[in-house]
């Protein structure tokens, strides 16, 4: 009903867009359910990594343009304020890694939803389209902030203005996504990244994400201070103790995410 499936597999939470007949276009229910799923993942101590995936031939076609809330003349700002900004903020503030498994086209808010993940693994046949300007809009869902940082300004402005499709290989060559694999290897490659993260020291990963995110808008001195504070916090975790002990004993560490 909500267009979203949530499943748990050990420490991995799988959030799957499930409106394949609509290319997983996002309506208000789906946006709210997705945000709630990320919030649950943040709260649930068993969850140490989230995979964001999609069913069908597309990853996500962005906002459902048939949704009554976005008919021309309606207040698009209200839709963004109510549904999209809270969703993207929740993802970026999630103290656990998010791996996006991009299986097909990711367009509009669907492209930026994928790019808001921490690690993007895409099928070779996948593609990204900042399609907003094609319908008279600008990139939202964090697009104007993420695109220049991920692609560089020249590519960001051109992708946003022309709304041209780029392949997963092109996105990877730009450094905007982590990995491209053959289509039949997508699930395995994504699961391998997620299971490595699920066994990693979760609090350190959360600190890495927060510090890198904050670095975009802070000075070098502020970054040094933040590193000091976060390292102080991490130094008191179980996982740091385990990491050092395992190193000394020349064995693999068994992190518990605490
Ligand atoms: C769709 C959609 C769609 C409904 C395909 N909606 N039905 C946020 C909040 C506030 C305001 C507005 O904006 C936003 C953020 C945004 O995301 S704005 C951008 C919205 N997305 C787009 O503009 C992308 C529109 N879709 C496309 O450009 C193409 O469909 C892509 C490139 C995704 C896929 O192309 P094809 O593989 O050629 O498939 P298709 O175009 O034939 O689509 C298949 C069906 O899905 C088709 O329906 P039909 O009944 O004819 O089979 C489309 O109408 C439907 N569909 N996207 N966003």
């Amino acid at each position: 009903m909500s267009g979203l499936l949530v499943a748990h597999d050990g420490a991995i939470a799988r959030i799957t867009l499930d409106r394949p007949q609509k290319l997983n276009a996002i309506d208000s229910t789906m946006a709210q359910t997705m945000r709630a799923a990320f919030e649950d993942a943040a709260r649930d101590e068993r969850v140490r990594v989230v995979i964001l995936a999609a069913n069908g031939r597309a990853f996500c076609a962005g906002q459902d343009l048939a949704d009554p809330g976005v008919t021309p003349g309606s207040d698009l700002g209200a839709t963004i304020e109510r549904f999209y900004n809270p969703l993207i903020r929740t993802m970026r503030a999630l103290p656990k890694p998010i791996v996006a498994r991009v299986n097909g086209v990711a367009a509009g808010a669907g492209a930026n939803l994928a790019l808001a993940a921490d690690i993007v693994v895409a099928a070779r046949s996948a593609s990204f389209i900042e399609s907003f300007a094609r319908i008279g809009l600008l990139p939202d869902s964090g697009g104007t902030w993420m695109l220049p940082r991920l692609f560089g300004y020249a590519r960001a402005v051109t992708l946003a203005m022309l709304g041209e499709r780029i392949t997963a290989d092109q996105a990877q060559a730009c450094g905007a996504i982590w990995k491209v694999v053959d289509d039949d290897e997508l699930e395995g490659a994504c699961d391998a990244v997620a299971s490595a993260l699920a066994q990693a020291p979760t609090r350190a990963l959360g600190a890495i994400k927060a510090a890198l995110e904050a670095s975009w808008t802070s000075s070098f001195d502020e970054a040094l201070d933040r590193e000091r504070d976060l390292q102080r916090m991490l130094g008191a975790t179980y996982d740091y103790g385990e990491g050092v002990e395992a190193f000394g004993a020349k064995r693999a560490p068994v992190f518990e995410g605490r």
Side-chain angles (χ1 to χ4, degrees):
M1 285 289 281
S2 67
L4 201 77
L5 302 173
V6 181
H8 290 89
D9 173 9
I12 302 175
R14 293 174 195 275
I15 298 177
T16 305
L17 310 183
D18 189 39
R19 285 183 93 203
Q21 72 287 1
K22 282 268 196 176
L23 304 188
N24 299 313
I26 301 169
D27 62 8
S28 54
T29 309
M30 195 168 160
Q32 278 175 308
T33 316
M34 205 181 331
R35 176 192 177 189
F38 279 113
E39 285 171 346
D40 287 347
R43 269 191 302 267
D44 189 338
E45 285 180 9
R46 292 166 304 171
V47 174
R48 292 168 69 180
V49 56
V50 179
I51 295 179
L52 178 62
N55 283 335
R57 73 175 172 93
F59 177 74
C60 176
Q63 166 66 39
D64 185 342
L65 295 172
D67 202 80
V70 299
T71 48
S74 58
D75 181 356
L76 300 187
T79 300
I80 287 175
E81 183 64 21
R82 190 152 167 227
F83 303 115
Y84 284 85
N85 285 356
L87 168 63
I88 300 296
R89 284 196 178 106
T90 301
M91 290 173 70
R92 293 310 311 146
L94 196 85
K96 301 169 186 181
I98 302 171
V99 181
R101 192 187 83 185
V102 182
N103 54 303
V105 64
N112 295 337
L113 181 70
L115 296 175
D118 298 297
I119 297 179
V120 181
V121 182
R124 201 160 311 279
S125 66
S127 57
F128 297 83
I129 316 177
E130 293 293 329
S131 52
F132 304 86
R134 289 189 188 186
I135 54 168
L137 299 178
L138 92 166
D140 58 28
S141 305
T144 60
W145 193 88
M146 294 189 292
L147 294 175
R149 288 169 169 83
L150 293 173
F151 286 93
Y153 183 82
R155 292 185 188 109
V157 70
T158 314
L159 289 172
M161 286 189 171
L162 294 182
E164 280 181 10
R165 186 190 295 253
I166 59 162
T167 64
D169 278 319
Q170 287 173 306
Q172 201 253 346
C174 294
I177 65 171
W178 171 240
K179 203 176 211 179
V180 181
V181 296
D182 289 340
D183 290 15
D184 58 356
E185 289 171 9
L186 180 64
E187 186 148 2
C190 192
D191 285 356
V193 172
S195 54
L197 294 169
Q199 295 168 60
T202 312
R203 304 224 9 227
L205 304 191
I208 289 166
K209 176 169 175 171
L212 290 178
E213 181 84 354
S215 77
W216 294 117
T217 51
S218 67
S219 69
F220 184 64
D221 272 337
E222 288 164 340
L224 290 178
D225 288 347
R226 188 177 307 107
E227 290 167 9
R228 174 202 60 211
D229 294 344
L230 289 169
Q231 210 72 300
R232 178 174 289 138
M233 179 275 289
L234 292 172
T237 61
Y238 169 87
D239 283 343
Y240 175 60
E242 166 62 7
V244 173
E245 189 182 307
F247 176 76
K250 300 191 188 302
R251 63 171 174 81
V254 183
F255 294 120
E256 295 191 3
R258 61 186 174 94

